[in-house]
Amino acid sequence: MRIIHRLDELRKARAALKGGKLALVPTMGALHDGHLALVREAKWHAARVVVSIFVNPRQFGVNEDLDAYPRQLERDCALLQTEGVDLIWAPTAEEMYREGYATNVAVAGVSEGLCGAARPGHFDGVATVVCKLFNQVEPDVALFGEKDWQQLAVIRRMARDLDLRRPHADMVFGVPTVREQDGLALSSRNAYLSAEDRARAAVLPAAIKKAVAEISGGKPVAEALKRLRAALLSGGFDAVDYAELRDAETLVELTERPTDHARLLVAARIGGTRLIDNMEAWSG
Ligand code: PAF
């Protein structure tokens, strides 16, 4: 397994990775079982797997956790070695955004609302870096966690709109969220939670699951969402940024029981940490 920090070296190493399809798993490091599930899924799709590790400054807002974001490259590399990854692409910020860098990729529509409302510029940063990673690595397939459902929708829209060929939009795959035993979605940010908040955080997946069951059972959407918010606040969350039912692909808001693929998406804050989660609410 090679660990590469410079673009010229990546290009050479990429050219040498011949024989079969190549999958890219973009990450910001601090790897957990959710990332490893992406790598394992990547191996079903491709003979070669590249994992990128880059804490992308452009997707963090001014008051966000860029400096505090966990960085543990050595540990991440050891984990990926045991998974049989071929290459790790770990550029520095200076290598990714060279002097004079001035280009931004902005995806309208799906980027707006939900996390886009609370984190202005976040999805521009994500779309920009993922577009660059795609051009740098030129994968046949790319894999992203479904926990960041809006991010997945943004990346698919971008790949489609820019007629990307490596990977083609149809080759951008979402991988189901990996959860702890109590249902909490794995996230590098769970490390910020105190033991008490960590225990309380399990109310988030439980409340989403209950609301999904209510909506599927025919209860009015607004009432199910109201109960979900109340359950989070009484269960120890300090604030609910959003709790919405959306079309799974376009992310258009749904106020009635869905007839097509739908997703229930939530962001809520507990002890200064913002957690997001989502579940399928209707499979069409
Ligand atoms: O989901 C992430 O870890 C990041 O947003 C991504 C896709 C690697 C882009 O920086």
Side-chain angles (χ1 to χ4, degrees):
M1 183 183 76
R2 289 193 61 192
I3 304 163
I4 291 180
H5 304 285
R6 289 175 41 144
L7 189 54
D8 54 350
E9 283 169 19
L10 175 71
R11 296 229 190 275
K12 279 189 223 143
R14 171 65 183 92
L17 279 181
K18 295 202 181 88
K21 288 193 177 151
L22 186 137
L24 171 66
V25 177
T27 80
M28 296 205 301
L31 303 180
H32 50 64
D33 282 349
H35 296 109
L36 302 186
L38 298 180
V39 171
R40 288 170 198 152
E41 182 74 16
K43 293 186 130 195
W44 283 102
H45 290 276
R48 306 290 199 165
V49 178
V50 175
V51 174
S52 63
I53 297 181
F54 178 62
V55 182
N56 174 33
R58 293 177 73 97
Q59 69 187 74
F60 288 79
V62 273
N63 295 319
E64 290 186 357
D65 56 344
L66 174 62
D67 293 336
Y69 200 85
R71 288 161 174 86
Q72 40 198 49
L73 186 62
E74 245 178 68
R75 179 187 165 275
D76 291 345
C77 292
L79 280 172
L80 295 174
Q81 173 100 52
T82 58
E83 293 296 325
V85 164
D86 294 276
L87 194 154
I88 295 174
W89 169 222
T92 59
E94 294 71 31
E95 186 70 352
M96 182 61 86
Y97 301 113
R98 301 235 176 126
E99 217 189 316
Y101 185 88
T103 300
N104 187 47
V105 180
V107 182
V110 285
S111 285
E112 291 154 21
L114 303 173
C115 287
R119 305 184 67 189
H122 169 68
F123 287 117
D124 284 15
V126 170
T128 301
V129 82
V130 172
C131 191
K132 281 172 72 66
L133 290 167
F134 284 176
N135 285 328
Q136 291 164 346
V137 177
E138 298 189 289
D140 300 289
V141 178
L143 298 101
F144 297 85
E146 287 186 353
K147 187 180 82 66
D148 297 292
W149 189 268
Q150 189 176 15
Q151 166 172 284
L152 182 59
V154 168
I155 292 164
R156 284 197 169 126
R157 187 74 260 166
M158 174 198 65
R160 211 158 271 141
D161 290 354
L162 297 182
D163 306 312
L164 296 191
R165 296 183 62 176
R166 273 172 167 257
H168 185 275
D170 293 342
M171 292 291 121
V172 175
F173 293 110
V175 177
T177 304
V178 178
R179 297 179 181 279
E180 303 273 12
Q181 281 218 314
D182 63 1
L184 184 68
L186 296 194
S187 163
S188 307
R189 289 191 170 100
N190 292 352
Y192 299 154
L193 296 169
S194 67
E196 212 177 37
D197 289 337
R198 166 63 194 83
R200 289 197 285 224
V203 76
L204 175 60
I208 300 178
K209 206 168 163 191
K210 185 156 180 275
V212 164
E214 287 180 0
I215 292 167
S216 312
K219 294 246 163 67
V221 172
E223 280 178 29
L225 296 181
K226 198 171 158 194
R227 270 192 292 275
L228 190 162
R229 285 172 177 273
L232 292 178
L233 295 174
S234 66
F237 277 79
D238 305 313
V240 181
D241 279 4
Y242 61 77
E244 293 184 21
L245 185 69
R246 298 265 178 144
D247 178 274
E249 193 189 324
T250 62
L251 297 190
V252 166
E253 191 173 354
L254 304 169
T255 51
E256 285 175 17
R257 191 179 163 184
T259 52
D260 209 343
H261 290 258
R263 218 74 203 175
L264 205 165
L265 302 105
V266 179
R269 294 173 196 265
I270 185 163
T273 302
R274 185 173 182 275
L275 298 180
I276 60 170
D277 199 352
N278 71 87
M279 288 182 197
E280 183 172 73
W282 197 257
S283 57

